[in-house]
Structure formats: C-alpha cells, structure tokens
C-alpha cells in the first residue's frame, strides 16, 4: 500500500476523531496505566497505521511534519465499539438531535421557566428597596443612575457571563460548581483522591478534545496542574468555598424571596406590622420545606404557567407605569448615567452596589438547574422572554420612582394598579415559593455531586422520580435548610438586612464560577489568551467591586452568613481530608501478592462453597481488611470478588460500561476484582438480586473472553502486567450486561508471581477448563452470596501534631459516626452480611 500524504492523513484524523476515535497525551502515563483496545482487536485505521510506519511517507507535502509532531504527542486509545452508542441511548439526556414541534417548544419553555428562572424572576420584588435603603433619593438623576446600574448588571452577569458563556461549561448537561470541578478533573488529574484509573477516561461520557500543536498552552497548564499538589489543593479549596456559598445561598433565597412577597400585605393592609410579616413568612417556609419531599418530577410543567403569568405581570406593570409616568427612564440605557451617579454620590452609590447585585440573583441557580434542559432552550427562553420582562419591570418601577421620590420602599407593590393589586400579590407569593423550591432542589443536586466526589459526608438520598435520575430529596439537608431559614428570618426580620447577606452568598459563588470557567477556557476550550484575560479581568473585577460593597456592610449582621459558610467549608474540607488519608493508608497497607502466593490457593484456611463479595474502596490491590477476614473467620468462600463501588467524575456511566473485571492471583485461587463505576448523577436502582445476577453474568462473559484471548495470544505469554501486585493470570476485560465485551489489551500472565505448576494450571484454557470454571461459578452462586464489609477507621498517631489529632480523632470521627454508613448506601441485606472492624493509624 502506498504511503499517504500529510494532507490525507490530516483529513482522515479529523474524520475518524469526530466519529469514534479518542486520543490522549502519553506524557503523564505511568507504569500502572491500563491499555485499552477495541473489541475487534485494536486494528488501526489506515491513517494511523501509515503514520506509525514513519519513513515511507512523502516529504513533498508541507503539512507532513506538522502531522508527525501531532502523532508523536498523541496515543490512540482505540475506536469505540458501536454497541457503546447503542447502549447509551438508554441513558436520559444523551439524545443530541431531536425534532421539536411548536407544542413541544411551548411545553419546554414553560418547564424551563418553572425550574430555571424562578429565582432571577423574583428579583424585582426587592432590588430597588435594598438599593435605596441606606439613603433617601434626592433627585431623578439618582433613579436614572441606579436604573442604569441595574440594566448593565443584568446585561453583563446573567446575560453575557452566564447565558452566553458559563452555560457552555456544563458537564454533559450538568451545571454547578462541582460539575465544573469534575470537568477539570477529567481532563487533568487534579483530584486529590488517588483512585482514578486510565480506563475511566474511556467511558463514553468523557469527551476529550484532541490537543493540537498550536495549543501548547493547554498541555502546559495540564502538566502543571497534574504535578503541583499545591495547585490541586488550591483548586479544591476554591470549589469547597463556592459550594459552601451555594448552600448558604440556598438558605437565604427562600427567606429573602418569601419575605419580600409577604411584604406586599403591608401595602394592602395597613394594620399588618413587621412581626406579623415574619410569622407569616415562617409559616410559608414550613409549608414549603414540608412539601419538598414530594419531589420535582412534574414541578416544571405544573408551575411553569404560574411563572409565565408572573413574567407577564412584570412586563404589564412596567408598560403601565411607563405609559402613566412617561418614558424618560429609557435614557438610563446610556451608561454615562452610571458615571454621573457615582460622581454625585460616590459613597452612597458604592453602598448601593450590594442591592444592585440582587437583580442578578438566580444566575448561579440558572446554571445549577441546567440538568433537565438543553443550553439553547435556556438561552432562548432568557433572551426572548425573561430578560425583556425583567427590563420592562425595572423600567416601570424607575418611572414610578421618578415621580414619587419619597416612596423608596415597597416600590414594586406601590407601582401596581389598584385594580390588579391582590391578584399580583398572590402571583408574587406563588412565584417566590416556586423560586425557593427550585433553589432547594439545586442544593440537593450539589450535595449529591459533592458526596460522590468525596467532599461531603454521606447522607440518605431519596430519588423522587423514576423517569429523571437527577430529581432527589435529602431529608437531613431539607430540615437543616428549614431550620437555618427560620433562624435567618427571626434574626434579621427585614429584607434589607437579609439582602446584604444574600449579596455575599451570590458573589461568593459567582467569583468561584469565574475562576473555574477561566481554567476550563485555558485547559479544555483552548481559547485565545486575550479572550481569556478579557473574561477574567471584566467579570472577576466587576464581582470584586460588588463584593467590596457588601463586605462594607457585613458588620450590620450579614457576617452571620460568612460564619455559616465557613462552618460548611470546614465540614467539607475535614471530610475530604480524612477520606483522603484513609484511602492513602489503605493503599499503603494492602496485602502483598507474595503473601497470598505463600498461603496457597486455600489462603491458609478452609474454602467453603459460595461467593463472597468483599466491598472495599481500593481500585488496585488486595485490601488489608481481607487479612482480618482470613484470621477472624473459620472458613473463606470458594470464590472471592473484591467489589469497588467507584464514583467517577462524569454525570452518567452507560450501563454497558459499568463493570471492569480483573483476575487476582492464579486461576485456581478463584479471586476476582470488580470495579462498578457510577457517575455522580447515576442512581443505583438495582435490587440485591438484580445486582448479583448482573455481576455473575458479567463475570461469566469475562471468563469466556479471557479464554478466547488466551487461545489467540498464547505466543505472547512472556509479557507482564502493568500492575505489580497482580499475579500471573491477571487480565483486564471490560464487559457489559448486554453481552458486549471489550478487551483492555493487557497480557494475562506475569511469570514472576507464581511457580511453574501454578502457572501451568492458570494457563490451561482449553474447552474443558473453561466449562469447569463456569460450572464452578454456577455452583458457587447456588451455594449463596455473602457480603463481606469492613469498617476501617483512622486515628492520628501519638506523635502527630495537636491540630491533626483534633481534626482526625474528634471532628472527622464525629462526622463518620453520624453520617450514613456504607452498608446503608450500598443496600446490603443484613441477613447475608459479615462485618469486621479495623483501625488505621495515620
């Protein structure tokens, strides 16, 4: 075959990569990395094959050297099997090309309004009230300057930053702080928990871009991030800080939204005082959080029409006031009025920035609630419905203020036409409750993501929908948020005081999002450095300017929110720190393969019929807790499977890519490792019987595939396994419950781990040997499956520093004692459970 020119190679590379090819940079690989090939034997495409031959290519094409440099930096991991895409169709949210009719577009718009835009839609209830709370309005120029600030804050933050930029930083449709973090961790090994496998990047949910020669900056940043533990810790600290602010935001949002809506009663009924408003608000909050357990399966469609009516009310009231009081306020679209505003009253204008920011509240919730809708649907709904209605609402309130300078509080309700007052109050209260409910649901999603990535203690999670896997309810967090909301309402008792705390929470999240999106721009999107600097300078500078204003009023009481967020941050950091130490200690103390080989195939005890599923957190090696089982139990099961439930940083792992099997020790030991991989949005809906059946079927497919590989690769037995702890017959094959089997291309023998007799026994993969092993599996399954669960606790050594002893022996121990136990999370039946406790000194 004639060698192909560089241009042809480039075209084929582009074509195959877009269809099914995946490439990774080999620089960060180590001796433990796994090599994965396709089901068809990993044959290269013609382009890749010709590139590997090197010298036969023509030198006449100017692009050849460029292609050769590209090939030297990239390693092909193998084309995806077609069945991957077929199975992926069963996962909600993977459909990319859907045809929408007019009716479906209307339904989608209503759902988007109900779930995504409730928070930002209720901001006109309180924005001007908080802005003009600190000082009286003396001239209409003050109103025009404040309105101009609000207009350009809406345009810059919710519209330009979030709608046009940040929404594209979603993780396969998932939004929020931890979705950004998982996206970074997937493209660079930035996670502090060392349980990532190279095979994780071959899950079809991973969408790794092909780095080009022109974008060396992205590779350098990736290398720097992977090699610097300080940068990893700093990144994690930023994410935890942002998450603590999100939870704090979830406390302030219901209090602020509901109280501002209930304040309308003070306008309609003069006898209503502030204390009665607080009590009514508390009653609404109790009802709101009590109903949260019923889930949000149909909340979007059910409350979408109510939000649509609310936005129509905003626009209608705005148009009414513009016609009644004149359209002079349209001059505020000229940004020069912002300059005049600060020139006339620099101190007062700076203090009003905290209130001005409230017009952008809900921007982060808009990103966090992205999981049920496409980016374009959210963008179109915001641009053509939400933003125009908000602008009309603020313009109308400003027109009212220009003619009523002495009425700077309850502006929204005072500007309502008298005939429509009570219906609008009712709709405003309903919209506030909807916004609060959507924000609480976003908090639940954030907590689940943080838990899956080892950054939050395990809590009981109830899935409220069979159709949508992301709709969950966390009872403990729900009641915690309720108590916190009631405390904030009782302590502050006014939307003006709560408003300043609200601004602190919102800005904390916004700044962290800006930093994380900047990293994504550099590392993943590979945007021009000038554009990245413009994005960072504009938005981080703007948010820091706003933040200086709200911090200036922190002494008024909003410091309580900072303390609240700091406590949440410490809880998450301590949990992550303790989890990391525990995992690293288990890795160091895992059993050596030499010890198991000395014990023999009976493991120094009696092997009783049956299957033992030993749950552990190690993705490699034999956990130390297994030695405790050997010394504690009078007998051990004839077949041992080390099951590791691993949460990988992707939203969903397709079912056919769920399990990764490997053999531990020679064949006659009957020991296997199974890594069950779940995304942070995955739901473990399998009951015990279904999970066992799926596990055994996958194991049988692995054994069959291993026998086939042995017969095809019998002349390559001198190759070694990449993992030094794995014994002579270790092998890696990815199997799926649908029957799809994918070789990981790793040799199946390591002669140095066993003697010749054991090696010969493990290599006799003829037909009878295969049938015997499958029969052995069936008999073991019929004898019963027992779950072996080890409880590993950690304690600080006596010579450790006092702070480490305090954190590990008291704080982390308290969290572990009171969080949800692993047995409950795994739904292990108590009748078939055996537990052993073990303590590690760290």
């Amino acid at each position: 075959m004639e060698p192909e020119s560089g241009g042809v190679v480039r075209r084929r590379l582009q074509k195959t990569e877009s269809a099914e090819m995946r490439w990774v940079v080999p620089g960060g690989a180590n001796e433990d990395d796994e090599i994965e090939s396709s089901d068809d034997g990993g044959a290269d495409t013609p382009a890749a094959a010709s590139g590997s031959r090197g010298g036969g290519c023509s030198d006449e094409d100017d692009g050849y050297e460029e292609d050769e440099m590209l090939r030297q930096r990239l390693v092909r991991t193998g084309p995806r099997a077609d069945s991957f895409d077929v199975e992926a169709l069963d996962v909600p949210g993977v459909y990319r090309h859907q045809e929408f009719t007019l009716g479906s577009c209307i339904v989608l718009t209503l759902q988007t309004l109900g779930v995504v835009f409730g928070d930002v839609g209720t901001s006109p209830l309180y924005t001007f009230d908080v802005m003009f709370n600190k000082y009286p309005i003396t001239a209409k120029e003050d109103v025009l300057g404040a309105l101009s600030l609000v207009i350009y804050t809406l345009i810059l933050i919710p519209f330009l930053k979030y709608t046009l930029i940040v929404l594209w930083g979603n993780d396969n449709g998932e939004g929020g702080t931890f979705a950004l973090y998982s996206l970074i961790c997937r493209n660079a090994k930035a996670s502090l928990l060392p349980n990532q496998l190279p095979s994780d990047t071959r899950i079809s949910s991973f969408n790794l871009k092909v780095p080009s020669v022109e974008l060396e900056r992205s590779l350098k940043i990736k290398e720097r991030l992977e090699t610097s533990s300080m940068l990893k810790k700093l990144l994690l600290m930023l994410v935890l800080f942002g998450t603590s602010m999100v939870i704090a935001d979830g406390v302030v949002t219901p209090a602020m939204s509901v109280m501002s809506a209930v304040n309308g009663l003070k306008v309609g009924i003069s006898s209503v005082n502030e204390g009665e408003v607080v009590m009514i608000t508390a009653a609404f909050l109790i009802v709101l959080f009590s109903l949260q357990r019923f889930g949000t399966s149909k909340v979007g469609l059910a409350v979408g029409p109510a939000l649509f009516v609310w936005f129509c009310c905003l626009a209608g009231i705005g148009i009414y006031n513009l016609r009644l009081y004149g359209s002079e306020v349209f001059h505020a679209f000229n940004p020069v009025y912002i300059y005049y505003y600060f020139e006339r009253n620099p101190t007062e204008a700076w203090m009003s920035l905290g209130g001005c920011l409230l017009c952008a509240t809900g921007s982060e919730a808009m990103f966090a609630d992205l999981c049920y809708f496409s980016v374009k649907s959210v963008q179109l709904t915001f641009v053509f419905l939400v933003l125009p209605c908000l602008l009309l609402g603020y313009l109308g309130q400003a027109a009212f203020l220009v003619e009523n300078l002495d009425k700077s509080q309850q502006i929204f309700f005072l500007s309502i036409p008298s005939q429509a007052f009570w219906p609008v109050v009712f709709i405003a209260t309903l919209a506030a409750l909807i916004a609060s409910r959507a924000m609480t649901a976003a908090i639940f999603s954030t907590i689940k993501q943080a838990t899956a990535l080892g950054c939050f203690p395990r809590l009981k999670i109830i899935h409220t929908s069979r159709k949508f896997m992301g709709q969950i309810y966390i009872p403990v967090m729900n009641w915690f948020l309720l108590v916190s909301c009631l405390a904030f309402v009782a302590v502050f008792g006014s939307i003006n005081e709560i408003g300043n705390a609200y601004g602190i929470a919102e800005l904390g999240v916004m700044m962290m999002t800006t930093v994380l999106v900047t990293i994504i721009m550099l590392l993943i999107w590979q945007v021009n450095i000038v554009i990245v600097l413009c994005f960072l300078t504009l938005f981080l500078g703007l948010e820091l300017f706003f933040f200086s204003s709200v911090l200036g009023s922190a002494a008024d009481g909003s410091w309580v929110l900072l303390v609240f967020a700091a406590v949440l941050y410490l809880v998450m950091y301590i949990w992550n720190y303790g989890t990391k130490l525990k995992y690293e200690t288990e890795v160091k103390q895992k059993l050596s393969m030499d010890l198991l080989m000395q014990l023999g195939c009976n493991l120094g005890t009696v092997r009783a019929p049956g299957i033992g599923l030993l749950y552990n957190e190690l993705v490699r090696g034999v956990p130390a807790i297994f030695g405790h089982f050997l010394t504690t139990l009078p007998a051990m099961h004839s077949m041992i499977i080390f099951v590791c439930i691993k949460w990988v940083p992707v939203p969903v792992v397709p079912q056919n890519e769920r399990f990764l099997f490997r053999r531990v020790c020679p064949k006659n030991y009957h020991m296997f490792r199974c890594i069950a991989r779940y995304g942070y949005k995955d739901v473990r809906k399998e009951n015990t019987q279904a999970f066992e059946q799926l596990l055994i079927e996958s194991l049988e497919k692995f054994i069959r595939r291993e026998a086939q590989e042995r017969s095809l690769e019998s002349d390559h037995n001198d190759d070694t396994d990449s993992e030094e702890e794995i014994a002579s017959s270790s092998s890696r094959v990815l199997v799926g419950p649908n029957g799809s089997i994918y070789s990981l291309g790793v040799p199946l023998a390591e002669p140095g781990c066993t003697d010749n007799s054991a090696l010969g026994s493990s290599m006799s993969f003829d037909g009878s040997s295969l049938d015997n092993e499958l029969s052995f599996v069936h008999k073991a399954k019929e004898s019963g499956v027992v779950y072996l669960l080890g409880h590993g606790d950690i304690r600080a050594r006596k010579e450790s520093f006092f702070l480490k002893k305090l954190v590990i022996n008291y704080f982390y121990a308290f969290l572990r004692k009171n969080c949800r136990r692993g047995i409950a999370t795994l739904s292990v039946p108590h009748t078939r459970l055996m537990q052993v406790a073990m303590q590690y000194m760290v």
Side-chain angles (χ1 to χ4, degrees), residues 250-260 262-263 274-286 288-289 436 481-499 501 557 560-561:
V251 172
V252 182
T253 296
M256 185 70 177
S257 300
V258 175
M259 180 172 280
S260 61
V262 174
N263 268 334
E274 196 70 34
E276 293 172 337
V277 169
V278 170
M279 289 189 293
I280 295 173
T281 300
F284 273 123
L285 289 174
I286 292 173
L288 171 68
F289 283 95
S436 303
L481 292 176
L482 172 60
V483 172
S484 302
C485 282
L486 294 177
F488 267 82
V489 170
V491 170
F492 293 105
S494 168
I495 63 170
N496 296 319
E497 300 299 331
I498 298 178
V560 176
L561 186 74

Side-chain angles (χ1 to χ4, degrees), residues 11 154 192 250 284 304 335 387 412 543 609 667 682 685 722:
R11 288 194 295 272
L154 276 174
L192 286 176
F284 273 123
L387 184 60
F412 173 78
E543 288 156 2
K667 178 184 172 184
D682 270 326
K685 292 184 178 180
S722 63

Side-chain angles (χ1 to χ4, degrees), residues 31-34 590 619-622 662 673 720-727 730 732 746 750 753:
E31 62 180 2
D32 290 329
D33 284 356
E34 300 172 2
K590 60 187 178 182
V619 294
R620 293 188 178 96
V622 178
R662 302 179 67 177
R673 176 181 298 111
T720 58
D721 191 290
S722 63
E723 182 183 357
E724 63 182 22
E725 294 88 352
I726 299 305
S730 70
R732 283 170 281 188
V746 178
E750 189 171 5
C753 291

Side-chain angles (χ1 to χ4, degrees), residues 638-652:
S638 59
M639 178 172 289
I640 300 295
I641 302 178
F642 300 101
V643 181
C644 174
I645 304 295
K646 182 183 176 187
W647 301 94
V648 293
V650 296
V652 177

Side-chain angles (χ1 to χ4, degrees), residues 312-347:
C312 290
C313 287
L314 285 179
I317 295 171
I319 294 172
Y320 168 81
N321 286 301
L322 287 171
R323 294 188 60 183
L324 183 63
Y325 299 109
S327 58
E328 184 181 3
V329 292
F330 280 100
H331 295 161
F333 279 96
N334 187 347
V336 73
Y337 281 94
I338 298 177
Y339 172 76
Y340 294 152
Y341 184 49
F342 278 89
E343 185 183 38
R344 283 170 50 85
N345 309 291
T347 303

